[in-house]
Amino acid sequence: MKRRNFIHKIFTLATVSKASGGILFTQAEKTQMIKTRTNNPNLKTILDTWEGTPIDQDGRFMNHEFPFIHKFGTVFKWMTSKNPQKQFKKEDTWQLKVIKNDTFLTDQNDIIVWLGHASFFIRLNGKQILIDPVLGKIPATKRHSELPVSPEKLQKLDYILISHAHYDHCDKDSLKLLQSQNPKAVFLTGLKMMPLLRKWIPNNEIQEAGWYQQYQTKDDLEIYFLPSRHWSNRSLGDANERLWGAFVLKSKEKTIYFGGDSGYGSHFKEVATLFPNIDVAMIGAGAYSPRWFMSPNHQDPEHAVQAFNETKAKIMIPFHYGTFDQADEPLSEPERILRQLEKEGKINQKLKILSIGEKLLV
């Protein structure tokens, strides 16, 4: 983004919280405490020691490792501060490369295709999956990379995964279109997302999971919902009413991890213990500046690499940059830093920076 003026920031914060989950300021300044725990009793919990997803004293979901509520003073400081990278951002002409090619839709191999931001098309064990499909624009934020395929061609999907309720991951128009084109697709998401999604998806099956729970799937494909360090809202007053998280997709031969929106935490190391042979890890590496403000919700490239190394996955695919301009860093910065970290030998395995629409064989 060109640095938003104060009035535009106020509008954005009050409507979609920068569309990405950077801001939470409507609650009073206090410490979150675990009041109770919950899960979906119809789903299997895979971690024996896990007592359920934590809920605070106000009945809202909370991060179990890093309880988090932004103080209004901190938010106001960010809103009124100058961006030291403003001029560089203004002069930055970099854009993600977009490959306009829909042949991946008929490919029979196990593949991953980045559709932009946090949206991925995955084929695994013959099943077609979309994660966090946002097929057009979102409120208050310009789209900087085109979709590589016409949305009308996204048919014959088996599963549609939604990591959380923020507008840049859960888009009403996209989901309504997809459900109309895929009447048999099963929607998989987190706890308390059903009332929101059912307005747009009246007939398809929807499954809600708590952290460390396994969805009910068929065809030798396992899908799990795991923690991420983030939060969730759609408007003022509904912060953390709906759960956020990450996904693991597992066939007999391959395992894929989608880290969702997340700040850095021990959950990346934990996923390596729960799933010790991850083939590909998609790790968020954008919307992180200023770091002092964004780090509870999003990772900078350095933390993204640390997270990837701790998953012990074979391939890292970075995402959450280049499509929507949601923070102070230039659009080009995440990829530039990642390539430098690769050059310095900081990445234990393989970094795969995808173009939009590029196909990665898994």
Side-chain angles (χ1 to χ4, degrees):
M1 74 186 165
K2 293 180 175 64
R3 180 73 172 184
R4 295 188 177 104
N5 62 36
F6 184 80
I7 294 176
H8 186 54
K9 279 188 174 182
I10 289 288
F11 166 78
T12 307
L13 290 166
T15 53
V16 299
S17 294
K18 284 187 72 67
S20 69
I23 317 302
L24 170 57
F25 65 95
T26 58
Q27 299 188 33
E29 297 182 14
K30 60 185 176 183
T31 301
Q32 283 183 298
M33 304 292 292
I34 298 176
K35 181 69 173 181
T36 185
R37 292 176 179 268
T38 188
N39 61 20
N40 183 342
N42 297 317
L43 298 182
K44 176 183 177 182
T45 299
I46 63 170
L47 187 62
D48 293 338
T49 59
W50 185 245
E51 298 177 353
T53 304
I55 296 177
D56 72 7
Q57 62 268 39
D58 294 322
R60 309 295 180 102
F61 292 110
M62 58 182 288
N63 293 303
H64 64 294
E65 185 177 19
F66 299 102
F68 164 75
I69 297 178
H70 260 310
K71 297 179 180 179
F72 179 79
T74 305
V75 177
F76 188 78
K77 176 183 175 182
W78 174 75
M79 288 166 60
T80 57
S81 63
K82 293 183 178 180
N83 180 6
Q85 296 179 287
K86 178 180 178 180
Q87 189 61 32
F88 189 89
K89 286 196 70 166
K90 184 178 180 179
E91 298 171 356
D92 188 14
T93 59
W94 176 91
Q95 285 188 312
L96 283 167
K97 180 181 178 181
V98 178
I99 300 173
K100 290 290 195 73
N101 191 335
D102 60 9
T103 58
F104 67 84
L105 294 172
T106 55
D107 192 306
Q108 299 304 306
N109 296 302
D110 289 348
I111 58 172
I112 297 174
V113 180
W114 191 23
L115 303 181
H117 196 57
S119 304
F120 285 91
F121 174 91
I122 297 174
R123 183 178 295 103
L124 186 61
N125 203 36
K127 297 302 166 184
Q128 303 202 126
I129 302 153
L130 280 186
I131 298 180
D132 286 357
V134 176
L135 308 178
K137 299 178 181 179
I138 58 175
T141 307
K142 178 183 177 181
R143 188 176 185 116
H144 291 268
S145 66
E146 295 181 80
L147 199 70
V149 61
S150 170
E152 288 72 23
K153 293 187 177 182
L154 294 171
Q155 301 183 26
K156 299 180 180 179
L157 299 172
D158 297 285
Y159 297 101
I160 297 173
L161 282 52
I162 305 165
S163 67
H164 65 295
H166 280 142
Y167 283 70
D168 58 326
H169 296 256
C170 178
D171 178 62
K172 173 184 175 180
D173 291 340
S174 299
L175 296 178
K176 289 182 70 173
L177 175 65
L178 290 169
Q179 69 85 27
S180 69
Q181 297 176 173
N182 299 274
K184 295 183 179 180
V186 178
F187 288 73
L188 306 179
T189 188
L191 294 174
K192 300 296 181 69
M193 287 285 287
M194 182 83 74
L196 174 68
L197 296 180
R198 191 51 83 192
K199 300 174 186 177
W200 315 329
I201 306 164
N203 300 315
N204 294 57
E205 179 183 351
I206 301 173
Q207 294 183 32
E208 298 178 320
W211 289 335
Y212 302 107
Q213 290 203 287
Q214 180 180 354
Y215 296 100
Q216 295 175 350
T217 55
K218 302 176 182 178
D219 309 299
D220 297 322
L221 178 64
E222 300 171 4
I223 304 179
Y224 303 84
F225 197 57
L226 298 177
S228 69
R229 182 185 174 187
H230 199 57
W231 72 291
S232 180
N233 81 323
R234 296 288 289 186
S235 62
L236 293 176
D238 69 347
N240 295 353
E241 288 185 356
R242 308 173 187 93
L243 188 58
W244 56 94
F247 295 104
V248 164
L249 292 70
K250 189 176 186 299
S251 68
K252 288 183 178 180
E253 297 179 350
K254 296 160 188 174
T255 302
I256 297 171
Y257 173 62
F258 172 81
D261 264 10
S262 185
Y264 176 75
S266 66
H267 52 285
F268 294 108
K269 186 178 295 184
E270 183 180 54
V271 76
T273 301
L274 292 171
F275 300 92
N277 190 31
I278 299 174
D279 294 280
V280 180
M282 291 102 89
I283 305 289
Y288 53 80
S289 183
R291 289 167 171 83
W292 62 265
F293 183 72
M294 291 292 189
S295 61
N297 307 294
H298 299 141
Q299 294 182 120
D300 58 29
E302 293 86 353
H303 278 113
V305 166
Q306 182 179 354
F308 168 70
N309 288 342
E310 291 181 356
T311 69
K312 299 183 180 179
K314 299 179 181 69
I315 299 174
M316 173 185 180
I317 296 178
F319 69 94
H320 207 272
Y321 71 95
T323 297
F324 300 119
D325 195 348
Q326 299 171 313
D328 285 355
E329 79 270 6
L331 287 179
S332 63
E333 185 175 274
E335 187 169 313
R336 176 175 55 81
I337 294 176
L338 285 166
R339 292 192 185 280
Q340 182 61 34
L341 293 171
E342 180 185 34
K343 184 178 179 180
E344 294 172 1
K346 300 290 180 63
I347 303 176
N348 290 350
Q349 297 288 337
K350 181 179 180 180
L351 171 67
K352 179 59 178 178
I353 293 180
L354 290 176
S355 299
I356 303 296
E358 181 180 357
K359 177 173 60 180
L360 174 67
L361 293 176
V362 181

